[in-house]
Amino acid sequence: MSKYVRQQGCKTLQNGEIVMNYHCCRSGTYKPKGKGLKNLKSQGSAKIGISCPAVIKVRQSTENVVVHYFPKHPNHETQLEHLRLSESDRTAIAGRLKEGVSKKEIFQDIREEITVDSGRKMLIEKKDIHNIKRDFNINGYVKRHEIDAQNYAQRLEKWAYCYRKGLGINTNMYLESLHEKIKYHYFDGKHVRRLDVAIDGLLKLVRDS
């Protein structure tokens, strides 16, 4: 039930052989991406903070492929909360979603089918369903911010300043969110002084909307 990932690209030797190493996915230290504003998951990071000796070493030549497998994970136990749903489970759930089966029914059926060999599937949660809908492009999947944009685009009186003259209110949470998106996504958090740069960023915002 272990997963192995390639942490770096292939290496080509002088004799033309290609070497690839696949390491345990829990090996290494957690490195947050972006600005570090997103909270860590409740179960913590899957990374164990040290190197796991479990590795798959592959050496490929024009004649054959040689694989050396080191399966032992002495530095950590197999914890279901840090495993991912298998592709077969994800595909099966995606098929049911496409058939119109509700999330509630899927959760109920999985709970009724749980056995000691169910693995990660026994811990399935709403986030897993959300990711499956996204990855399999299930009909009806729409990102939350796209739903908000659709709702508020048709309700100008809720956010347009021209509808609130004299009220002493010149902003709201949605405008502030938009300003933050423009500043950090299109201007990299910088204070823009040049008009041409500002116009270029706003044109990109319109293009992406």
Side-chain angles (χ1 to χ4, degrees):
M1 297 179 67
S2 301
K3 181 179 180 181
Y4 294 83
V5 295
R6 201 169 67 193
Q7 297 178 344
Q8 56 187 4
C10 305
K11 181 179 180 181
T12 303
L13 305 180
Q14 292 182 349
N15 60 3
E17 292 184 345
I18 299 175
V19 177
M20 296 171 285
N21 293 329
Y22 295 84
H23 298 267
C24 171
C25 66
R26 301 197 60 189
S27 180
T29 304
Y30 170 69
K31 297 179 181 178
K33 297 180 180 179
K35 298 179 175 62
L37 300 177
K38 187 176 180 180
N39 293 328
L40 195 61
K41 294 178 290 187
S42 58
Q43 67 266 33
S45 170
K47 299 297 184 181
I48 58 176
I50 56 177
S51 178
C52 177
V55 64
I56 300 174
K57 296 185 177 183
V58 181
R59 185 182 290 258
Q60 178 181 346
S61 67
T62 55
E63 299 178 354
N64 57 20
V65 176
V66 179
V67 178
H68 295 283
Y69 178 39
F70 302 88
K72 294 185 178 180
H73 304 259
N75 297 329
H76 64 89
E77 299 177 352
T78 300
Q79 297 170 295
L80 290 180
E81 63 268 26
H82 292 307
L83 296 177
R84 297 185 180 182
L85 284 172
S86 66
E87 281 304 314
S88 59
D89 288 337
R90 285 167 54 85
T91 302
I93 294 172
R96 301 202 64 192
L97 289 170
K98 289 180 179 179
E99 293 172 358
V101 181
S102 67
K103 291 187 293 185
K104 183 177 180 180
E105 291 180 81
I106 292 176
F107 287 139
Q108 183 175 351
D109 291 343
I110 290 176
R111 293 189 184 100
E112 292 176 353
E113 297 171 359
I114 285 179
T115 65
V116 292
D117 298 321
S118 295
R120 170 64 172 77
K121 189 169 69 170
M122 70 172 63
L123 298 180
I124 190 171
E125 51 189 19
K126 291 182 179 179
K127 182 65 175 177
D128 295 314
I129 300 294
H130 173 86
N131 292 339
I132 291 172
K133 282 186 174 182
R134 178 198 63 202
D135 297 340
F136 286 83
N137 195 24
I138 305 295
N139 292 336
Y141 171 76
V142 183
K143 294 181 180 178
R144 183 173 296 277
H145 71 268
E146 293 177 355
I147 296 176
D148 291 340
Q150 293 171 5
N151 290 340
Y152 278 85
Q154 307 301 325
R155 300 164 64 189
L156 296 177
E157 69 280 0
K158 295 295 183 181
W159 58 270
Y161 184 51
C162 61
Y163 285 94
R164 293 180 291 144
K165 286 185 177 181
L167 296 180
I169 303 174
N170 59 6
T171 186
N172 59 34
M173 293 182 65
Y174 291 95
L175 285 178
E176 292 297 327
S177 177
L178 176 62
H179 293 161
E180 183 180 18
K181 177 180 179 181
I182 294 172
K183 179 177 180 180
Y184 291 102
H185 185 74
Y186 293 96
F187 298 137
D188 297 325
K190 300 176 182 177
H191 182 67
V192 177
R193 297 179 182 274
R194 290 178 49 179
L195 181 60
D196 58 331
V197 176
I199 293 176
D200 181 63
L202 292 176
L203 288 175
K204 290 179 180 178
L205 171 67
V206 174
R207 177 200 65 192
D208 297 339
S209 299

